[in-house]
Amino acid sequence: EKIRTLSKSLKTVVDTVYEKVNGKKYTLILHHALYNDTITEILRYIKEKFPNDELIIMPITPVVGTHIGYDGTGLGYFIDEE
């Protein structure tokens, strides 16, 4: 499947994370270089897929931000040990 728009790419990222963590105990982290419309849009997708889950929102460090640009956004997760 070709993904050509920002909206589709953000939705695909959230869907992929959902598939990876579904049924497990996990923590979600949203990193951003600049809180903007992209963050607002991905937050909407996250709240649709993970309506009751806690989400950590953190700025990207300056060094990483220099490499990815002012509009960089990332959704990460880690599986909590049981």
Side-chain angles (χ1 to χ4, degrees):
E1 174 184 0
K2 291 186 179 183
I3 300 168
R4 299 178 185 202
T5 65
L6 179 61
S7 293
K8 277 190 171 181
S9 66
L10 295 174
K11 189 169 181 352
T12 300
V13 167
V14 173
D15 289 343
T16 301
V17 169
Y18 182 79
E19 290 171 9
K20 299 284 186 184
V21 301
N22 193 20
K24 299 175 183 165
K25 185 173 166 68
Y26 57 89
T27 301
L28 293 175
I29 305 168
L30 180 64
H31 289 284
H32 63 88
L34 177 65
Y35 200 101
N36 56 19
D37 293 339
T38 303
I39 297 299
T40 304
E41 189 171 357
I42 196 168
L43 279 172
R44 186 169 45 88
Y45 294 134
I46 290 169
K47 289 179 184 194
E48 287 174 8
K49 282 286 189 184
F50 305 95
N52 300 316
D53 294 348
E54 181 181 351
L55 174 67
I56 299 169
I57 302 174
M58 297 183 66
I60 292 171
T61 63
V63 172
V64 173
T66 299
H67 291 282
I68 64 172
Y70 73 94
D71 202 17
T73 305
L75 179 62
Y77 67 91
F78 58 90
I79 305 297
D80 297 331
E81 296 288 331
E82 292 188 32

